[in-house]
Amino acid sequence: MSASNKTATAGITALLVVAIIIALNFLVGGVGFGNLRLDLTEDGLYTLSKGTKNIIGHISADEPVTIKFYATNDDRVMPNLLKPHARSIEDLLLEYEKQSGGNITLEVIHPNPDTDEEEKAKDDEIRGMQVNQQGDQIYLGLSVQCLDRKEVLPFLNPEDATAFEYDVSRAIAKVIKPKKTIIGLMSPMPVGGVPSMPFQQQRGPEAWAIIQQLKADYEVRDVSMTTDKVDSDITVLLIIHPATFTQKTQYAIDQYLLGGGHIIAFVDPHCLLAQALSSQPNPMTGQPGNMINTSSDMPELFKAWGLTYQKDMVVADMNYRGVFNGRPNPTALQIPAKSINQDERVTSGLQSFTLINAGSLGIEAKEGLNVATLVSSSEVSDLIDTEAAEKLRREPMVNFTPSGKKKILGVHITGKFKSAFPNGKPADPMPKAESGGAQQDASAPAAAGAAPAAPAAAKKDDGSLKESKTSESNVIVFTDADMLYDAFCLRQGDLGVGAITSGGNLPMVLNAVELFAGGGDLIQVRNRKAPVRPFTLFKEMRESVEEKYRPQLVKLEKERQDLAEKLSKARPQLDLKKGTLIVDQGTMNNIKEMETNSKKIDKQVREIRKEMNKEDEFTKTLIKIGNVFMVPLIVGVVGLILAMQRRVRTAAA
């Protein structure tokens, strides 16, 4: 065969291959296999989770679900950033439709500016986002409807893409379930918001985001901090900062738990929100103050659950310290994934936690109970008192000796609980006698001189439960209440369309509520891995650099503080009577020497920080070089090897 014939044959073959590919693409698309995809990601990020499949399996054929997906597709207004996001959402929704076996109908609507579809989006409460000065708006949201029950996701933020499957699955789970689960809420702080009073101009504070989220999915019922009974129809009791619990209240919670309830509690040795929300009485208006104890505890219940806790001690951790009030603070904990229990369902898959002034729990074995640690500190940590923790908001840590042991910050307790009140309901405290003196228990013996009491009879059984009815009750305890405040679990989205979840604080609570409320399927949805992973390696390398220089910095900081103290004492004082400064030459020389030494210390600190920054930059550069050149280098080497092999075969032939 001549060279020209070979060239013609190769060209015809190439054209045939292209034609076959086009034909196959057309045919496969035409028979409905157009969305076949191969998910090669390590964590199956683009495959429906088992939880979603279970939820879809609960949809009744008699009550099908309709999903209306609104996505503007006008190239003139739709930002390039959102186009691939919209496409990936549509792909995943098609997976929902395919998985449902006909019980989910997907409608894709393109609400472009000045069209009837735009009016449909507005009618369906989809939120528009203005993109130009002409007032054009784009839409990227969806509604999920079953009979007369409807849920709307008004805008699908690409920054919160990891939560998309969860949001859709949760919406489906809500519309196919006619009755809401009841969640009890106990807190001395206005976490549920304060409703505005009639004729009041100013609105009260809104509910924290975690409570708003719970109200969207459940019926949230307030439970008094002084209650003596928790309603049995409450499925999960959420306790946030129990600062004023009496024995009667703890008894009520104890009996609720033994009756089959579930508890999620957040105690706090030094609650910043309680501190901020407390107010002094106003002597001018006569308005009473609202003082909230900054420390909270549940001593009787903790004892029964096998927990020990020092309510005035805070965990300081030099490895996991975060930034608070613009400065590094070892009591503002940033807990990474490696210190989060990935085997527990409520924390599995969570990448980080933020805790402020958290306490530490100890565990004592109790028969019939299993205690799992959910979150812990690093070994470079120790306990400091609340006064020292408060001081760290203004000053750096000077002296710190790590205990070498991890501190437990959160636990999950399961099993058969025994009552914290084996003798039954505690008696009401006796009113104070007019002459003063300690309060007395109603069951205390009569005072001397009183009429002879009847022989003590055996205490009547008041019907109190002595142990759990089942082994299915759950208790979760965390040692920080501030972690639920919006500032520590949300962040503002870059697109300016609302706050998005930051870290595992909020998902952990929702996971636990859903698990205990019987909706464990949603946990498997939320716990999918995030496509964006934290730079844990770089952070560890940075911690290593800081650990190397920390002793020098601590030593210099201590010397600087000592000098500052001596300087303040040595400086000449103004003679108020004469209006003059009286100081001898020796004192002046001493002051100058101390000022010179202080400047030397400042210079040494700067030099150390320069070295630290230099090593950080070197680490960053190495990682960048690896990211930029490593893959092309590998591809080049592989190509070179293949070319050499081909040449060897050609030479051998």
Side-chain angles (χ1 to χ4, degrees), residues 224-505:
S224 169
M225 290 291 289
T226 57
T227 188
D228 59 0
K229 185 177 187 302
V230 179
D231 296 338
S232 59
D233 60 345
I234 290 176
T235 304
V236 181
L237 181 62
L238 180 62
I239 303 170
I240 303 175
H241 192 50
T244 55
F245 271 180
T246 63
Q247 290 255 322
K248 282 175 59 179
T249 305
Q250 292 187 74
Y251 169 79
I253 296 169
D254 174 80
Q255 294 298 294
Y256 163 76
L257 175 67
L258 301 186
H262 306 286
I263 295 171
I264 306 173
F266 296 84
V267 295
D268 200 317
H270 191 51
C271 181
L272 296 183
L273 266 299
Q275 187 181 53
L277 293 169
S278 294
S279 59
Q280 297 285 347
N282 190 334
M284 301 297 292
T285 63
Q287 292 290 327
N290 180 31
M291 296 301 296
I292 304 173
N293 196 336
T294 57
S295 176
S296 55
D297 194 1
M298 301 192 294
E300 302 299 332
L301 295 172
F302 277 6
K303 187 177 177 183
W305 300 343
L307 299 179
T308 58
Y309 163 73
Q310 294 176 267
K311 66 176 184 179
D312 56 352
M313 299 299 283
V314 172
V315 175
D317 190 324
M318 297 304 286
N319 265 3
Y320 295 166
R321 70 186 188 279
V323 175
F324 185 61
N325 284 347
R327 60 189 309 159
N329 189 325
T331 64
L333 306 181
Q334 289 291 332
I335 309 296
K338 67 180 182 181
S339 288
I340 300 172
N341 190 338
Q342 300 296 329
D343 296 327
E344 278 283 317
R345 293 184 71 184
V346 295
T347 49
S348 173
L350 300 181
Q351 300 297 309
S352 66
F353 273 93
T354 299
L355 292 89
I356 309 294
N357 288 343
S360 174
L361 295 171
I363 300 174
E364 296 177 348
K366 286 285 181 181
E367 184 181 355
L369 294 183
N370 297 313
V371 184
T373 299
L374 296 177
V375 178
S376 61
S377 71
S378 78
E379 293 174 344
V380 189
S381 63
D382 201 2
L383 292 175
I384 61 174
D385 59 42
T386 53
E387 186 179 346
E390 183 69 19
K391 194 175 177 183
L392 288 176
R393 295 172 66 181
R394 306 181 300 273
E395 302 172 8
M397 173 76 83
V398 177
N399 292 318
F400 182 76
T401 304
S403 66
K405 295 181 180 178
K406 296 180 178 180
K407 304 293 180 294
I408 299 173
L409 308 172
V411 296
H412 180 194
I413 311 172
T414 56
K416 206 167 182 64
F417 291 85
K418 291 186 178 177
S419 176
F421 299 88
N423 296 323
K425 185 175 183 179
D428 291 325
M430 294 290 288
K432 290 183 179 179
E434 291 185 1
S435 57
Q439 293 179 346
Q440 295 183 11
D441 191 283
S443 61
K459 188 171 181 180
K460 186 178 178 182
D461 186 359
D462 60 4
S464 298
L465 298 174
K466 300 296 187 290
E467 64 177 13
S468 299
K469 291 181 177 177
T470 70
S471 300
E472 298 176 356
S473 293
N474 293 269
V475 170
I476 283 181
V477 177
F478 266 75
T479 56
D480 180 33
D482 296 311
M483 64 183 287
L484 300 182
Y485 185 57
D486 297 5
F488 305 120
C489 56
L490 298 176
R491 67 177 178 86
Q492 190 66 32
D494 294 337
L495 294 177
V497 288
I500 59 177
T501 302
S502 174
N505 297 17

Side-chain angles (χ1 to χ4, degrees), residues 206-237:
E206 292 188 349
W208 293 9
I210 178 64
I211 306 302
Q212 293 183 37
Q213 184 74 58
L214 289 174
K215 286 181 176 177
D217 295 342
Y218 309 97
E219 177 187 338
V220 177
R221 181 183 300 171
D222 287 329
V223 179
S224 169
M225 290 291 289
T226 57
T227 188
D228 59 0
K229 185 177 187 302
V230 179
D231 296 338
S232 59
D233 60 345
I234 290 176
T235 304
V236 181
L237 181 62

